[in-house]
Amino acid sequence: MPQPERENYLNKEYGVWSWLLTTDHKRIALLYLISITFFFFIGGFFALLIRLELLTPAGDLVQADTYNKLFTMHGMVMVFFFLIPSIPAVLGNFLVPMMIGAKDLAFPRINLLSWYLYIIGGVMMLHCMLTGGVDTGWTFYAPFSTNFTNTKIVEAGLAIFIAGFSSILTGLNFVVTIHRMRAPGMTWSRLPLFIWAHYATSIIQLLGTPVIAVTIVLVACERALHLGIFDPRLGGDPLLFQHLFWFYSHPAVYIMILPAMGVVTEIIACFSRKRIFGYSFVAFSSIAIAVFGFLVWAHHMFVAGMSVYAALVFSLLSYAVAVPSAIKVFNWTATLYKGSIHYDAPMLYAFGFLGLFTIGGLTGLFLAALGINVHVTDTYFIVAHFHYIMVGGAVMGYLGGMHFWWPKISGKLYPEGWARLAALIVFIGFNLTFFPQFILGYMGMPRRYYDYSHMPEFQVLNVLSTAGATVLGVGYLLPMIYFLWSMRYGKPAPDNPWNAAGLEWKTSSPPTTFNFEVEPLVTWEAYNYEDLDASH
């Protein structure tokens, strides 16, 4: 006789409205997962068109103005609608309450509102793309964006403005939840490092996002009302725009990378069966990254005409911000040392993260040096550097987390062999795509050029890069296919398939609506793998 299916958050209620009006943090995480995946593939489509254009030196696929729109829309969609919300909104929403032993987030309705704001912003961005697009680059630099371009600046700005409120509300929800709703015994020193990373991220979201919101409003005001904010002819200052923009957009890099660091910490501890080396150092380095992240914005502006003394200070601070990131990498390496390492798919993504993030971080030190920065600014060296951090780091972390917690999210196991293959393809495809761009940038190829027929020697590396992008695309499609396959045909997952530490593994797979039948009482330290393995 077949067993009746256990009630869980997926089968509690059926129907579209039960999803669109849900206040269950786990269902909202799945709504985010679907919408973020959609935008990821739109952004990826733009990237593919960019790479196809650069296959040949002549600009023979699209016109110059179309190419400008392609890389602008690619940047906007990927940054504001995929990278920034990816881990916090999907994995954070799903796991933060479970990891601290809470039934839900502090403000369930605000959580649902934040998804609706994200969708409204996303629909506006889609409309903007379909009716003419934007051609300023994702950075909106004034005075081009305020005076000279006649594309959909205000609409795109409004879309980002609305999506920004989604980000602020998510951050607010996490901060209040982590402060007020921890289970008895879940002290700050027993929190999983995933929670520390999201706490630091939420602080940046709360303090940084209003700045970009105000900046976008100022751009719209200048365009509509001709106020002299950034226009020098009206007494404005175009550099003021860059200061305001990067004051948010540099910390935004840490909104993308800190949650990925939290994910990687959980995976490394689980698959090396050890406590994290230097728990408090890793926890406080997350907070240090959040604080230092607000002090280094002007390293994006070394060629913008700021004073040498200011540049010197920002150069030193840019070196300083590398220290807490390096602490994490050293502590992960020390955790792996003499660990009982298992090469499951999440661990392969974590290794990929370590390699790619380290290359991204080390090339960041090149850019903090004033002398080198002047030469490689606005070349493909910059493009390669930030993709190693944001795609090599954030997306590797996101995919690693999705594989690690998929049995908990769906209650099903994915095919391990395919997952390992996908991790390998993503790693190889990524390096094939972006490593040649370091060399291109070093050789002097400017970014944002659609026609390099006066420099045909760059073609070989560009062909390599485009070939790599094709491989990378396959690597990104595979997980989507076998995750969907596993929902239907995968084996049922046990409650704790990895024998991992953490409260989220003490719930059923998939969890019930309110996560825990009885409120958990925490009496053990985080990452107690010695105890788990002894009892196992």
Side-chain angles (χ1 to χ4, degrees), residues 31-100:
L31 292 174
Y32 265 118
L33 174 61
I34 294 161
S35 39
I36 279 167
T37 306
F38 172 73
F39 282 107
F40 177 70
F41 280 104
I42 287 183
F45 173 68
F46 287 134
L48 202 61
L49 290 176
I50 292 167
R51 288 303 340 150
L52 286 173
E53 170 58 76
L54 294 173
L55 257 178
T56 54
D60 44 18
L61 180 68
V62 294
Q63 296 297 315
D65 55 343
T66 311
Y67 184 76
N68 287 351
K69 289 175 183 173
L70 283 179
F71 67 70
T72 301
M73 305 312 285
H74 167 68
M76 283 184 190
V77 169
M78 283 304 202
V79 170
F80 296 110
F81 293 93
F82 174 71
L83 286 166
I84 287 174
S86 60
I87 299 179
V90 179
L91 296 173
N93 247 329
F94 196 93
L95 294 164
V96 165
M98 283 200 277
M99 282 188 165
I100 62 172

Side-chain angles (χ1 to χ4, degrees), residues 406-407 410-415 482 485-487 489-494 497-498:
W406 184 253
S410 67
K412 295 293 176 71
L413 296 173
Y414 53 80
Y482 60 68
W485 178 90
S486 75
M487 291 290 288
Y489 303 106
K491 292 177 185 164
W498 315 114

Side-chain angles (χ1 to χ4, degrees), residues 140-457:
F140 283 114
Y141 270 12
F144 183 57
S145 63
T146 51
N147 279 350
F148 297 106
T149 180
N150 53 6
T151 52
K152 305 262 178 176
I153 297 290
V154 174
E155 190 179 352
L158 197 56
I160 291 166
F161 181 80
I162 291 169
F165 275 97
S166 162
S167 186
I168 291 170
L169 293 177
T170 303
L172 174 77
N173 227 334
F174 285 174
V175 168
V176 176
T177 305
I178 293 166
H179 269 280
R180 305 292 302 157
M181 297 179 70
R182 302 193 305 279
M186 178 62 84
T187 60
W188 284 92
S189 60
R190 285 176 179 168
L191 284 176
L193 289 159
F194 181 87
I195 300 291
W196 277 101
H198 274 76
Y199 185 73
T201 306
S202 302
I203 291 169
I204 303 174
Q205 287 174 315
L206 285 171
L207 298 179
T209 316
V211 177
I212 189 104
V214 169
T215 311
I216 289 169
V217 169
L218 292 177
V219 168
C221 287
E222 180 147 323
R223 278 184 77 91
L225 309 173
H226 304 292
L227 301 176
I229 302 161
F230 306 124
D231 184 354
R233 291 176 309 178
L234 300 171
D237 181 0
L239 272 189
L240 174 62
F241 175 85
Q242 292 190 32
H243 280 293
L244 289 172
F245 178 84
W246 288 115
F247 184 77
Y248 164 77
S249 294
H250 190 80
V253 175
Y254 301 115
I255 296 179
M256 301 168 208
I257 204 72
L258 267 170
M261 290 170 159
V263 168
V264 168
T265 307
E266 300 297 318
I267 294 173
I268 285 178
C270 176
F271 291 101
S272 56
R273 314 303 303 165
K274 278 178 70 184
R275 279 177 197 271
I276 283 291
F277 180 85
Y279 171 94
S280 50
F281 278 90
V282 181
F284 283 106
S285 68
S286 292
I287 306 297
I289 286 174
V291 173
F292 273 112
F294 279 109
L295 305 176
V296 296
W297 75 90
H299 68 208
H300 295 268
M301 301 169 54
F302 286 157
V303 294
M306 58 198 280
S307 81
V308 178
Y309 297 110
L312 202 63
V313 170
F314 279 107
S315 173
L316 283 168
L317 285 167
S318 301
Y319 280 115
V321 80
V323 174
S325 302
I327 287 172
K328 285 186 187 293
V329 174
F330 286 130
N331 284 29
W332 290 327
T333 313
T335 306
L336 290 167
Y337 180 64
K338 290 192 174 174
S340 169
I341 295 174
H342 299 257
Y343 294 97
D344 294 284
M347 191 59 157
L348 294 184
Y349 280 108
F351 279 136
F353 173 93
L354 279 175
L356 300 179
F357 177 73
T358 303
I359 293 174
L362 290 173
T363 49
L365 298 178
F366 288 45
L367 301 175
L370 290 169
I372 299 176
N373 184 290
V374 169
H375 286 286
V376 296
T377 288
D378 277 335
T379 68
Y380 265 86
F381 193 93
I382 304 284
V383 177
H385 159 70
F386 72 72
H387 279 86
Y388 263 87
I389 298 284
M390 284 152 52
V391 187
V395 179
M396 274 290 192
Y398 175 62
L399 287 173
M402 283 302 297
H403 284 78
F404 187 49
W405 283 291
W406 184 253
K408 186 58 64 181
I409 293 170
S410 67
K412 295 293 176 71
L413 296 173
Y414 53 80
E416 180 64 32
W418 281 102
R420 291 182 190 183
L421 178 67
L424 202 63
I425 291 174
V426 167
F427 184 76
I428 293 168
F430 182 85
N431 281 299
L432 263 178
T433 308
F434 293 107
F435 202 84
Q437 296 181 12
F438 280 126
I439 305 166
L440 280 168
Y442 172 74
M443 287 163 63
M445 178 168 176
R447 64 197 279 197
R448 300 183 172 178
Y449 275 35
Y450 86 116
D451 180 331
Y452 56 97
S453 45
H454 56 298
M455 318 173 258
E457 67 273 17

